[in-house]
Every structure is written in structure tokens, then in C-alpha cells.
Amino acid sequence: MTVSTSPIETGDAAVVFDGVSKRFAASGQSAAFTALNDVSLTVGRGSITGVIGRSGAGKSTLIRLVNGLEKPTAGKVLVDGVDVGALDEAALRELRRSVGMIFQHFNLLSSRTVFGNVALPLEIAGMDRRAIDERVRPLLDLVGLADKHGRYPAELSGGQKQRIGIARALATEPKLLLSDEATSALDPETTQSVLELLKRINAELGLTVLLITHEMEVVKAVTSDVAVIDKGEIVERGHTFDVFTHPKHETTRALLSGLPGSKLPEAVARDIRPAAAAGDRVVVRLTFFGAAAERPLISRLIQSIGAEVNIIAGTIDEIGSKPYGSLVVAYGADPETSGKADRFFAENGLTVEVLGYVA
């Protein structure tokens, strides 16, 4: 994906949204509304692409268009060059065999064992028992549940249930895996293990993954590309590292502000104001990456401006093996100090966002 808004390229694309809109008519007590508006987006073959947005932004509608659970009101959704909205039921069933899906709430059958849940789509497809066994057992090995093949969902943890869901989604040997908020019901440690599994599947099987989420941590941990959706429109898209380090849209910046080290402490957030008064300190968020992440920036900043600098929050992390850091600091808002700070930031290639002012 690129940040460009020019006509999309469909060359080596697994999924293409081409000017897609989806409008729902009024129903019962629900008013008519537009869930998606003129969305154009390309998901590269073999990539892990994330679509992130708040609740109600249109994420779930977007992903349901890919496997034909919804049809677009306008535009086209192409999967491997095939217009999903134009398929009849028989062709749609065939396409769905090449598109696996994992869900937030697992959607497992409580009356079936681990093996039986993974085998279900193969049984529906009419595969014989021996072929099913040969397909399912390697998948249970892949997701680390070979020793649990005879257990039932009620006996397993949330992370184990999601691994069953992933194995089941892979049973039909799909080319594309859709993930609908697959980690939002899991604790952080379990989420990390599931994301590591998705990365491994992507690397070993060459599987394209389209992942929707409201969690920036998930996007940071696993995706190569990301699109930000807000009120049914794609407001920003690009390589994950570029979007994280140079966010252009206010929605993206708001989502990034919730990451550890970026969120303001409650005491500061409560007192911050948009305009400076005499004697105030300016609060800024610094984003740095690459070589800058390894420099003693704060000590150099203090030397450059000749004034105290308060560290309010901060973190150093990686996005796709590239070092990335976010630091929230405060210093004097007077013109002389602020001017020196601005020159220092420019000389060191730091991205700066003024968050407000505090006494």
C-alpha cells in the first residue's frame, strides 16, 4: 500500500477494494446509514495488512465484503482478480474455500473435540476420513495443540481456543486469512503468542493475512502495512513503520496516543490546556527512529536549550525490527527556549507534536 490517492495498482494484489461503498437501508428501528464510503485499498500478496479504527468505523463491514457475507452497494472487491460481488452462490462457496477466517469469540462447537472442530470444514467439503486425518494432524502440530486433539473447548484456555480457530481456518488450505478482532478477547501475553503464530504462518506458508483491529499494539507487533479507517473512509494508509513514525491524520495520532509510553498520565492530561500562559511549560510528543533511537537525546536537548526538561512518558520499541521511540517531555514555553528546542528537533530529525501547555 502507499499513501497515494491515485488509482490503485492491482498487479500483485491478493485483495483490491476499488471505490467500494456499502449502505444499509432502514430496518425496523434502525435508520439507514453508510458503513463504507468510496474505499480504495490494495492488500499485497503475502503481506500482513492491518485495518485499524474505532468501534463503528466500518472495519467489520469491510472484511465481510471479502468473503461475500456482504455485497458492496457501489464499487468492486476483487480477491485474486475475481469480483466477489458478481459471484453466484456456487462460485461464492468455491471462493470461500480459499479464504479462511478467524473470529473474536472463536465460534467453536462445544460438542466437538479439538480435532473435530478443525476437521469440520473438511467434512462439509466431503473429504474422506483418512484425508481429513492427514490434513488436520499437521495443523494441530503447527498451532501447538497436537497433545490436545481429544479435548473439548470448555477444557481449554482462550489462547488455545483461538489456536483451534486458526487451525480450522487453515484446514481448507486458503490463500488468504481474514482476522476479525481475533485477539481482542485475550489477555496481553496470550495475544502476543497468537500474533507470533500468525507471523509464523505468514512466513512459512506465504499466506496473505488481512487483519482488522482497534488495537495499535496488534498493528505494531505483526503488520507490514496498515490502513486507518474512520467513519467509513480510509483516512491514512502505508507501511506500518511510516504510518507510526509520521502519522498524518488526527485519527491516526489519536490511536497512537494510547500506546504505552505515549499516553499522558491522568494528572497531566487533566491540567493540560491548548494555549500558553506566562510561565507555562509546553508538553510535546517526540517520535524518533533508526539511529536517533540510540542517541542520548534528552541530555543533548538539555544542553542545547540550557533549561530543565521533564520526562512525562516514554517507550523504546521496534516496528518490523526497526527501532522506534516515543517520548513525552515538557520544557519552558517561552519563545527563546521553544526556539532552541525546535532547532534541536529539526537538526536531529525528530517528529514533534505539541500536545498543550501546563503550569
Side-chain angles (χ1 to χ4, degrees), residues 107-124:
N107 289 9
L108 303 178
L109 296 178
S110 60
S111 60
R112 279 182 165 250
T113 63
V114 168
F115 186 99
N117 270 282
V118 177
L120 182 61
L122 303 177
E123 294 175 8
I124 293 172

Side-chain angles (χ1 to χ4, degrees), residues 295-309:
R295 297 175 191 153
L297 293 174
I298 296 303
S299 61
R300 291 186 181 181
L301 174 60
I302 293 171
Q303 292 174 5
S304 295
I305 67 177
E308 292 182 350
V309 176

Side-chain angles (χ1 to χ4, degrees), residues 116-158:
N117 270 282
V118 177
L120 182 61
L122 303 177
E123 294 175 8
I124 293 172
M127 188 177 287
D128 65 65
R129 292 188 63 82
R130 181 174 179 178
I132 288 174
D133 190 76
E134 291 176 351
R135 179 76 59 80
V136 171
R137 291 194 182 279
L139 288 174
L140 293 179
D141 278 332
L142 178 66
V143 300
L145 291 174
D147 61 334
K148 302 287 192 301
H149 68 277
R151 306 287 284 275
Y152 288 86
E155 303 174 83
L156 304 176
S157 69

Side-chain angles (χ1 to χ4, degrees), residues 298-333:
I298 296 303
S299 61
R300 291 186 181 181
L301 174 60
I302 293 171
Q303 292 174 5
S304 295
I305 67 177
E308 292 182 350
V309 176
N310 291 78
I311 299 175
I312 296 172
T315 185
I316 302 289
D317 209 334
E318 287 189 349
I319 304 173
S321 77
K322 296 180 181 179
Y324 158 85
S326 176
L327 200 60
V328 179
V329 300
Y331 50 84

